[in-house]
Amino acid sequence: MSASIYIVAVENSADHLGAELVQHFRAQKPDVKIAGIGGAALAAEGIQSEIDISGLAILGFVEGLKSYPMILDRVKATVESIMSCNPGAVVLIDSWGFMIRVAKGLKKAGYMGKIIKYLAPQVWAMREGRSKILAQYVDHLLTIHSFDAPYFEKHGLPVSYVGNPIFDTNYRQGDGEALRRELGIDLKDEIVSIFFGSRLSEIQQLAKPFADAIALLKDRQPHLKFVSPVSESIATDVNAAAGEDLRLQDVILLPEARKFDVFAASDVAIACSGTVTTQLACAGVPSVVAYRLNGLTYAVAKRLYKPDYISIVNIAAKDSLMPELVQGQVTGENLARLVMSYLYDKERRQKASKTLITQTEIMKGKGGSASEQAALTILDIVGA
């Protein structure tokens, strides 16, 4: 009897992780039955989502409260979809708030298969109590950090460390010169790439300071070019922001599929804190990291958050390899100043690039594909 697996991914990065799982499932077990909820990446693998995931990429206490009725409605629809399929296992990828509600809903509905959480909540950073809650509603946890296990195993939750899938990809494979030719950008003109984030709330918080920085940078260096690869899930929101603030129309928007080419072409990046900052580090792109939250959300998070940095690369290095601006520090002047410090000093830029690549190689280690290991572990759990 073939295995049946249901994947739930409601954020862009999770959608891509889900797609990688599907590829490895099929490579190992061609007859595996897969259904799920996700976005464009899963759809490209033939997994058509019955539920619209737009608006579910939410971060922050206040933002979550505003969207609470919609979240509950989508959770209910997700549980119903899973129960109608009755798969042997459900894989819930990232997105703590949404996924824990789905897990609770499945338990309440009497689901008898395995509930597997892929990516642990970052209890090492804040809210350690989530480890006990997760252990009550999930049967197995796949983690990407070797130090995660003790937080969850003490509550009886089996944990498998599979490695970090972000390091499975070669982020230096892009063709920067080809992109420049395509866009008509001279080789001598420098490029600043812009990464707005993967959530509407992030775009709303960062659009103005990013626009302020772009205006200042253009004033100081008129030939500077700005390029941004944008995922389908946020394209409408980014275009709306550019419609409201015409300064953002200086940014050339490209499909997310061109991201590697953008990395290769970039001299410096301005990025919302998130998965992309690690990808930029892997590509060796000197980057300025920015993050802002709703004021109330930030006040709560500041009291709970433990690490000295917000970027995984900086946390691992215990050093500010990528300059970070948080909350009130995120101003156009500060962003422009840090970007110009790289643009004016080519030697500093090259040194930062080499340091970032070295650090991410250390973080990668010598393991194989994390996505493949995750897929094998899931298949083993379901007995396939």
Side-chain angles (χ1 to χ4, degrees):
M1 183 176 177
S2 63
S4 57
I5 299 169
Y6 196 107
I7 296 171
V8 184
V10 299
E11 294 194 347
N12 185 54
S13 58
D15 183 39
H16 284 277
L17 288 180
E20 291 170 11
L21 284 180
V22 170
Q23 294 166 8
H24 289 297
F25 286 151
R26 288 173 174 161
Q28 295 294 326
K29 296 287 181 180
D31 62 342
V32 65
K33 295 178 180 178
I34 307 170
I37 292 167
L42 276 170
E45 298 298 326
I47 310 301
Q48 297 299 326
S49 180
E50 297 179 3
I51 296 168
D52 180 11
I53 67 168
S54 61
L56 289 176
I58 298 167
L59 183 70
F61 312 106
V62 175
E63 295 83 354
L65 287 172
K66 290 178 180 178
S67 303
Y68 194 62
M70 180 268 288
I71 293 171
L72 292 184
D73 180 67
R74 303 282 172 83
V75 166
K76 182 174 181 289
T78 299
V79 171
E80 290 174 352
S81 177
I82 294 170
M83 294 302 292
S84 67
C85 293
N86 193 29
V90 175
V91 182
L92 308 175
I93 307 178
D94 210 1
S95 307
W96 165 261
F98 187 83
M99 298 308 176
I100 194 62
R101 288 177 174 84
V102 170
K104 289 179 179 179
L106 288 172
K107 291 290 187 182
K108 186 176 180 180
Y111 175 65
M112 300 302 290
K114 296 292 186 181
I115 301 177
I116 302 167
K117 183 73 170 66
Y118 185 18
L119 274 69
Q122 295 180 335
V123 296
W124 49 269
M126 61 190 295
R127 303 184 118 188
E128 188 176 336
R130 288 180 171 181
S131 56
K132 184 176 182 180
I133 296 171
L134 193 67
Q136 294 175 321
Y137 296 101
V138 166
D139 300 300
H140 205 104
L141 172 65
L142 306 186
T143 179
I144 64 174
H145 298 302
S146 59
F147 50 78
D148 274 333
Y151 291 98
F152 300 92
E153 288 177 337
K154 68 182 180 182
H155 298 296
L157 177 59
V159 178
S160 294
Y161 167 59
V162 298
N164 195 332
I166 200 169
F167 298 118
D168 289 351
T169 302
N170 173 16
Y171 297 100
R172 300 196 292 276
Q173 63 182 275
D175 190 334
E177 290 189 10
L179 183 68
R180 284 172 175 270
R181 287 195 298 270
E182 180 184 327
L183 298 178
I185 299 175
D186 196 286
L187 289 176
K188 71 176 184 298
D189 290 338
E190 292 168 308
I191 292 177
V192 176
S193 52
I194 308 292
F195 298 87
F196 291 94
S198 60
R199 302 175 175 93
L200 173 59
S201 61
E202 292 170 338
I203 297 164
Q204 291 172 332
Q205 290 286 345
L206 294 174
K208 184 182 184 304
F210 279 16
D212 290 341
I214 288 166
L216 288 168
L217 289 166
K218 284 284 285 185
D219 183 59
R220 296 171 189 177
Q221 201 161 322
H223 295 293
L224 200 60
K225 306 299 180 183
F226 302 89
V227 181
S228 179
V230 177
S231 70
E232 184 179 314
S233 62
I234 63 165
T236 300
D237 300 323
V238 172
N239 280 310
E244 292 178 8
D245 193 327
L246 299 184
R247 296 173 301 172
L248 291 175
Q249 294 185 11
D250 281 324
V251 181
I252 301 170
L253 301 180
L254 297 173
E256 187 183 31
R258 304 303 303 276
K259 182 162 63 176
F260 296 151
D261 293 335
V262 173
F263 287 169
S266 298
D267 293 285
V268 188
I270 298 175
C272 172
S273 178
T275 302
V276 74
T277 59
T278 306
Q279 295 174 341
L280 285 162
C282 290
V285 182
S287 304
V288 179
V289 180
Y291 210 72
R292 291 177 67 178
L293 290 165
N294 170 281
L296 179 57
T297 299
Y298 177 72
V300 176
K302 186 178 180 182
R303 293 175 61 113
L304 299 174
Y305 192 73
K306 302 172 188 175
D308 294 327
Y309 302 101
I310 58 174
S311 307
I312 293 297
V313 172
N314 287 349
I315 292 171
K318 298 180 181 178
D319 195 4
S320 183
L321 303 187
M322 309 173 90
E324 296 179 351
L325 298 173
V326 179
Q327 210 62 9
Q329 299 172 338
V330 185
T331 66
E333 183 61 44
N334 284 341
L335 289 165
R337 173 177 52 80
L338 289 169
V339 169
M340 290 307 297
S341 71
Y342 285 119
L343 294 178
Y344 283 147
D345 190 342
K346 188 174 181 180
E347 185 177 335
R348 179 172 187 260
R349 198 162 73 219
Q350 291 174 338
K351 181 179 178 181
S353 177
K354 291 178 182 178
T355 302
L356 289 170
I357 290 172
T358 299
Q359 176 59 37
T360 52
E361 287 295 325
I362 293 170
M363 294 168 69
K364 180 179 181 179
K366 298 180 180 180
S369 163
S371 290
E372 181 180 18
Q373 186 57 49
L376 290 171
T377 303
I378 291 166
L379 289 171
D380 183 61
I381 291 170
V382 299

